[in-house]
Amino acid sequence: IAIFKKGDVIGAQASKAEHRVWHKDTSIATSKLANATISFPDADNARNGANFPLAVGDYYVCIRQDNGMVGESVAFSVVPRTPKVSLEKTEFEYGEDITVTYKNVEESLLSGKSYVNIAIFKKGDVIGAQASKAEHRVWHKDTSIATSKLANATISFPDADNARNGANFPLAVGDYYVCIRQDNAMVGESVEFSVVPGSPKITLSKTEYVSGEDITVTYKNITESLRTGDFVSIAIFKKGEVVGTHSSKAEHRVWHKDASVVASKTANATVSYPDADNGRNGVNFPLPAGEYYVCIRNGNKVIGDTVTFTVTKGAITVAQPEIKESITMHYTAALSATLSDVKMKFTFDGQESIVAGTVVESGNGCNTYTFALPGILPQQMGDNIKSELYAGNTLIDSYDDYSVKQYCQNLLAASTDAELRALLVAMLNYGTEAQKYFEQTVDSFVNEGVDQSYLNGYDISQAQGVIENPVSGDNTGDYVWKAATLGLYDEIMIRVKFYASTTENLSIVANGESYTSFVRAGTDLYYVYIPVHASDFEEALTITFDCGGAVGATLTYSVTTYIQYAANAGTSDIQDLLQAIYDYGMAAKVYASV
């Protein structure tokens, strides 16, 4: 079954397409159907793809038997398909892309013309008399000019690759039509559409911000036609405040009747406050903690809905004290990365101290800072710590009433971890016994009301490690140990007294750690303080003099050395404190091993 161009002769000219029904060579594909309906192009037979789509013109179809025709042929014509344009809708919001689908815009439409475009015109404008608002070039006789060369496609305006497509966008509110333009004539029918103002909208990147963090607002469809008064702004107000009665906290001017006043003149944008280019935006920042709303302000009226948000204090979080060594209270705070000179003022034990923040994490426009208050003595676990977070001279947040005791009691109430609860109770008992030992006048002890059943009591007589207390040495040689004992400070230390004719170039080395800070206690007599983790109370320290090499005798000592020595000495006023220290150390050791 063969298709030929009108006037072509079978055998003299090649067919445009053939469908093989029978062939003497059985290896050649044929349909072997005496009666059938077929469609061209037919990929299973010869020449059926190469000539399709068939060019516009006249043809005939026949039954071909080698180079002869069986029966009569049937004539037909291929004519240009009807070019069409269509829109996904006939109404678009201001600033929205205009999406157009076109079909059958064949190159043959050029027909001696210069170009064929998909064009948008203002309603009432005449092709050739007025300029189009936008055009998408499909075909052009000048091959050096960029064209899509697609007979069927969906395109969106503005289209940066074609003429005038950015200059007139967004299209002003009004009525338009889209058409297939052939030089200064129109092919087929046009389709009308309208650009409408669209609903003014505002959205926030989130609804909760940390004080000092930028407030990011996205607005849409804020056209100049909305202005009925002096100006249109995106404004922030405190919750409960009324536009026109109260002053805004910040505004971004979009339109203003006074051309000399700075305005963005952008109908769709994302802005961040504080915005230095507009009024009152720096004066009120950082916004203090509280509830606010953002709105589209038209003079003293609100357009559309408002969006509420909350500003929280700088997110100060009290972290766990370093309960394995010194008692240091740690704080963290999340603040806007735009803030500088971040610091915390601590008021504790009648003293004020300023601690600069250390950035430990950054991301999403925020920095996370840490602050530490060291030097809390065990008997001060119940003492109030006041912390004030500042960025420069601006107070961001504060804790007026907190303590190590409060932290431990809060964690005890929240935790089900048996080892942690035992450690917390032991720590509070240690603080209580220190309060008693140092004869503090307090309203209550730090372990008051604490469930002692959480504690695993330990027998001092079962303490492991070195139990022999060092004997005072004679003042002979350059470096001689005098005595060792326990020092109760913000951290538990072994306090060692020694003789030295000179401390120049001298280090005291304890299990590999060097100490060079000495306190003079008399002629050639000094103290050195060696801190010990609570979990390491039973661990023996090998302590040596080092002055370019080991010199003098080696001292072996541990916290339990002192505990057993003092317990065996039977000194009554320290027995409860020794038991609390031992319980604390053993609980820390168990907790650290889990």
Side-chain angles (χ1 to χ4, degrees), residues 269-300:
T270 296
V271 296
S272 290
Y273 299 92
D275 175 4
D277 293 333
N278 274 279
R280 291 189 293 277
N281 293 341
V283 176
N284 297 311
F285 276 78
L287 290 178
E291 295 181 308
Y292 298 83
Y293 68 89
V294 60
C295 66
I296 304 166
R297 177 179 182 177
N298 180 13
N300 289 329

Side-chain angles (χ1 to χ4, degrees), residues 8-9 96 130 140 142-143 151 309 337 356 360 395 417:
D8 286 353
V9 178
E96 188 177 359
Q130 283 86 28
H140 204 287
D142 183 348
T143 56
F309 65 94
V360 293
L395 177 65
D417 183 333

Side-chain angles (χ1 to χ4, degrees), residues 34-69:
N35 304 283
T37 298
I38 59 172
S39 292
F40 294 94
D42 176 2
D44 293 333
N45 275 278
R47 289 189 294 277
N48 291 339
N51 297 311
F52 278 78
L54 290 179
V56 172
D58 296 322
Y59 299 84
Y60 67 91
V61 61
C62 66
I63 301 169
R64 174 181 182 176
Q65 186 188 52
D66 284 357
N67 288 328
M69 184 167 62

